[in-house]
Amino acid sequence: MALTKLDQLYRAVILDHSQHPRRRGVLDKATTQIELKNPTCGDVIQVQLTVEEDKITDVRFDGSGCTISMASASMMTDAILNKSVDEALTLVNEFSEVVQGNKPEHEQELGDAMMLAGVSKFPARIKCATLSWKALEKALGSDGTGVDGQLTHD
Amino acid sequence: MTVPYEHLREDFKILQQHVNDEPLVYLDNAATTQKPEAVLKALETYYHTSNANVHRGVHTLAERATTQYEGAREKVRRFINAPSTAEVLFTRGTTTSLNWVARSLGDLIIEEGDEIVISFMEHHSNIIPWQQLAKRKGAKLKYIELTDDGKLDMDDAREKITEQTKIVSLVHVSNVLGVVNPIRELTDYVHDKGGVMVVDGAQAVPHMPVDVQALDADFYAFSGHKMMAPTGIGVLYGKRKWLEKMEPLEFGGEMIDFVELQDSTWKELPWKFEAGTPNIAGAIGLGAAIDYLENIGMREIMDHEQNLVAYLMPKLEEIEGLTLFGPKKASDRTGVIAFNIDGVHPHDVATAMDMEGVAVRAGHHCAQPLMNYLNQPATARASFYLYNTVADADKFVDALKATKEFFIHGLD
């Protein structure tokens, strides 16, 4: 039956992250936080970070969304914890390559997030996968000092 | 008339394909419908034999194009039983039609402190034009509540619509709940209070007989592409008494009588609203779509969709963890069925069903206030049309069950 093809998209690891997300919740003391919405599907994500001396020492996410967006957020927190701001921003770029079907340089660092490579075969769902990573990128800001606030993107 | 539905599908080449290795079951008709060969042929014939600009040429092709374009207007007039073609304006679609009313009528009659009344089940295109008008004029925008089974709360409607209400704009059939609203009853009430009644008919005209005189609405808007015509053509019906007072929103060629250096005069109705070269082929395609639908019969189409809904509902209600939105009774609704599977996001549902060849929509359906009202971030939605069959309904139920199984238990 045709649903077997769904395995490319919904690997067991992805379903596991979606059903048992890592670091879902709220930080008491976040140095930077952001909320991003995907207006086309109603997904909302909040990402909170504690950045100390250029290092991400803690991270939480919350929000509502599909399996792909929630799993991706969970995987992202695994990948960026204890990374420097620059390292995290590099991973954002790498992840965006992965979901477009390209091979990243730092496969190891992306960890479980590599499992989302199958999204490239489902173009309508790429935005679901990148939502939390975009939120992270906005939160860190290009100069690494971070921004507080609310943003939407399409 | 008994419609040979199994042969009817042959008129739609697009339906005869496989998607993700499965036969396509197209259930996104509330978004847009497929076009029969007859409509595509009408476009081709127009461009092969008659293409010219309308209303301004003396030559033979110009005359042919004008006759066909105005012939399409007459077909629309007859189809919705408008009193005259002067009251049938061609637009880009429902959105443009509603924007025209909100702009032109709104500027004419709305003053500070006036009320505009809509409902919680409106499409964004019947919300935002009124929001903008209310903001421009300092008017108040009020929303009619819904009942638990997704109908308009008529008691609340009578409460919200007052002597201060200048415009009421309501959807005839909801694009999410599928519910058919009692427009005539509401129109009478609005008129009693001295207001103007505007109706968004985008999900009604393709699916049931609509008689604008029987509804007595002052304005009625709909789109061609949701009734088998091409995209980019739509209709605004308006009562002559309003259209004559209203100012056009666009100025230029086609809509003028005499142009002087400092001022100009407008053509008579309906052309004073149609500036520039219109969507001639689109209008002709809409005429061909009306011929196609009338050949089957709008009553027959409505019955067919309600039969499908009546067949589906008990099967859907049996599925544990499935939430259905809108009235349960088939006779209260059209073939639009919004649903959610507990614990599975509608986007995941739509992707999974697509793998089974079943095209459904997922999202907020351009009705964010309704989603908030229903307390849902989004829903999935299947919407049926006359070319959908019982076999499609069965495939839909099977795909739904397989999808639920996949996300709850995984593939073993």
Side-chain angles (χ1 to χ4, degrees):
Chain A
M1 79 132 122
L3 279 186
T4 50
K5 272 185 260 150
L6 275 184
D7 272 356
Q8 293 175 24
L9 183 59
Y10 299 101
R11 311 279 292 268
V13 182
I14 296 172
L15 292 176
D16 180 58
H17 270 275
S18 153
Q19 279 151 16
H20 311 284
R22 326 292 192 256
R23 297 176 202 87
R24 184 169 186 154
V26 180
L27 282 179
D28 288 337
K29 279 181 77 176
T31 55
T32 181
Q33 57 190 6
I34 201 153
E35 178 172 286
L36 264 195
K37 292 176 182 170
N38 182 348
T40 56
C41 58
D43 283 7
V44 184
I45 195 154
Q46 295 99 26
V47 173
Q48 290 188 308
L49 301 163
T50 307
V51 181
E52 290 169 317
E53 290 173 3
D54 198 44
K55 192 173 156 190
I56 299 168
T57 56
D58 212 349
V59 52
R60 291 286 184 282
F61 82 96
D62 209 349
S64 70
C66 63
T67 301
I68 303 300
S69 72
M70 291 296 110
S72 183
S74 169
M75 291 165 167
M76 178 195 77
T77 67
D78 272 348
I80 62 154
L81 187 66
N82 294 321
K83 294 283 193 303
S84 74
V85 168
D86 278 348
E87 285 168 336
L89 288 171
T90 304
L91 288 178
V92 171
N93 288 330
E94 300 247 303
F95 181 73
S96 132
E97 291 297 320
V98 169
V99 293
Q100 290 173 67
N102 302 321
K103 207 170 155 48
E105 265 178 60
H106 307 84
E107 206 165 306
Q108 208 75 40
E109 276 83 0
L110 279 171
D112 283 356
M114 281 302 296
M115 294 291 166
L116 284 165
V119 171
S120 63
K121 304 239 165 43
F122 297 79
R125 306 302 299 279
I126 291 174
K127 277 183 183 170
C128 310
T130 54
L131 184 64
S132 56
W133 298 77
K134 288 243 169 74
L136 172 70
E137 188 179 26
K138 297 273 186 200
L140 290 171
S142 54
D143 60 356
T145 54
V147 285
D148 253 316
Q150 198 171 341
L151 278 175
T152 57
H153 80 133
D154 51 1
Chain B
M1 164 181 181
T2 312
V3 179
Y5 285 103
E6 59 281 11
H7 294 302
L8 195 137
R9 289 171 83 87
E10 291 162 14
D11 296 338
F12 300 84
K13 279 192 185 155
I14 196 169
L15 297 177
Q16 295 155 37
Q17 65 176 308
H18 284 64
V19 165
N20 297 315
D21 302 326
E22 297 286 325
L24 170 63
V25 176
Y26 183 79
L27 299 179
D28 196 16
N29 293 289
T32 198
T33 55
Q34 302 306 342
K35 324 303 176 197
E37 279 305 292
V39 168
L40 303 179
K41 190 83 194 155
L43 299 179
E44 196 186 21
T45 305
Y46 165 70
Y47 280 121
H48 280 167
T49 64
S50 316
N51 180 48
N53 213 328
V54 290
H55 296 140
R56 55 171 80 132
V58 173
H59 60 77
T60 304
L61 291 190
E63 183 53 38
R64 264 187 218 156
T66 304
T67 305
Q68 289 173 36
Y69 179 67
E70 291 305 326
R73 197 191 305 274
E74 167 58 21
K75 279 181 191 174
V76 173
R77 184 205 65 74
R78 210 188 51 232
F79 188 59
I80 59 170
N81 193 31
S84 84
T85 50
E87 295 165 300
V88 175
L89 316 183
F90 282 127
T91 67
R92 271 198 307 134
T94 308
T95 299
T96 304
S97 300
L98 292 169
N99 273 279
W100 280 12
V101 182
R103 254 297 164 190
S104 185
L105 178 80
D107 283 353
L108 188 68
I109 67 170
I110 294 290
E111 286 167 16
E112 196 177 335
D114 286 347
E115 294 172 353
I116 301 159
V117 176
I118 60 176
S119 84
F120 274 105
M121 66 167 85
E122 303 308 319
H123 187 282
H124 292 162
S125 61
N126 198 30
I127 299 174
I128 306 161
W130 306 114
Q131 270 179 1
Q132 292 298 313
L133 172 63
K135 284 169 76 174
R136 277 201 307 278
K137 297 282 187 163
K140 196 174 168 198
L141 183 60
K142 292 158 76 176
Y143 289 77
I144 299 172
E145 306 273 334
L146 312 184
T147 61
D148 289 343
D149 62 346
K151 295 181 185 176
L152 269 189
D153 182 336
M154 293 300 280
D155 291 334
D156 191 56
R158 278 181 280 268
E159 196 127 311
K160 296 265 163 70
I161 299 163
T162 69
E163 267 87 17
Q164 277 71 53
T165 306
K166 292 284 163 59
I167 297 176
V168 176
S169 190
L170 295 171
V171 72
H172 194 167
V173 172
S174 161
N175 71 317
V176 176
L177 304 167
V179 62
V180 184
N181 289 322
I183 294 300
R184 176 61 201 241
E185 192 183 336
L186 287 153
T187 302
D188 287 348
Y189 193 76
V190 171
H191 286 166
D192 273 355
K193 299 284 174 189
V196 175
M197 181 70 169
V198 183
V199 180
D200 165 5
Q203 301 290 346
V205 174
H207 303 283
M208 61 178 64
V210 168
D211 179 332
V212 292
Q213 292 190 73
L215 295 173
D216 201 27
D218 297 280
F219 294 90
Y220 196 99
F222 60 99
S223 298
H225 73 96
K226 293 188 196 291
M227 51 186 286
M228 301 190 172
T231 50
I233 187 77
V235 172
L236 173 62
Y237 157 79
K239 281 185 183 167
R240 184 191 285 270
K241 66 170 178 181
W242 291 116
L243 292 177
E244 278 185 343
K245 285 184 211 145
M246 283 159 59
E247 281 294 309
L249 290 156
E250 288 181 303
F251 306 94
E254 302 265 1
M255 53 78 68
I256 42 82
D257 260 344
F258 296 101
V259 177
E260 291 174 35
L261 291 186
Q262 304 301 331
D263 206 357
S264 303
T265 55
W266 316 144
K267 262 191 195 161
E268 59 184 2
L269 289 173
W271 302 290
K272 85 168 179 184
F273 285 96
E274 295 178 4
T277 300
N279 184 354
I280 306 166
I284 290 166
L286 176 57
I290 287 174
D291 289 343
Y292 187 89
L293 293 171
E294 282 190 323
N295 190 37
I296 292 161
M298 295 313 292
R299 175 69 55 182
E300 169 65 40
I301 291 168
M302 186 175 86
D303 289 347
H304 174 70
E305 288 180 25
Q306 289 187 336
N307 287 342
L308 282 177
V309 172
Y311 173 81
L312 260 173
M313 276 300 171
K315 293 185 192 304
L316 294 176
E317 280 165 356
E318 264 173 30
I319 302 175
E320 215 177 297
L322 188 77
T323 307
L324 294 164
F325 301 97
K328 300 287 179 289
K329 228 169 82 198
S331 58
D332 289 335
R333 59 185 301 155
T334 61
V336 176
I337 301 173
F339 61 95
N340 267 338
I341 303 174
D342 285 358
V344 189
H345 192 279
H347 259 198
D348 294 322
V349 172
T351 294
M353 294 187 75
D354 186 47
M355 290 300 110
E356 295 274 309
V358 181
V360 297
R361 176 91 182 261
H364 51 59
H365 316 295
C366 295
Q368 289 178 16
L370 176 59
M371 292 295 119
N372 292 337
Y373 193 86
L374 297 172
N375 215 2
Q376 304 287 323
T379 78
R381 178 187 71 186
S383 48
F384 291 77
Y385 206 12
L386 72 141
Y387 40 62
N388 293 120
T389 59
V390 169
D392 288 348
D394 285 337
K395 187 73 201 285
F396 168 63
V397 172
D398 288 347
L400 199 54
K401 286 179 178 164
T403 299
K404 184 188 153 197
E405 199 58 24
F406 178 87
F407 284 104
I408 309 294
H409 299 298
L411 272 186
D412 296 318

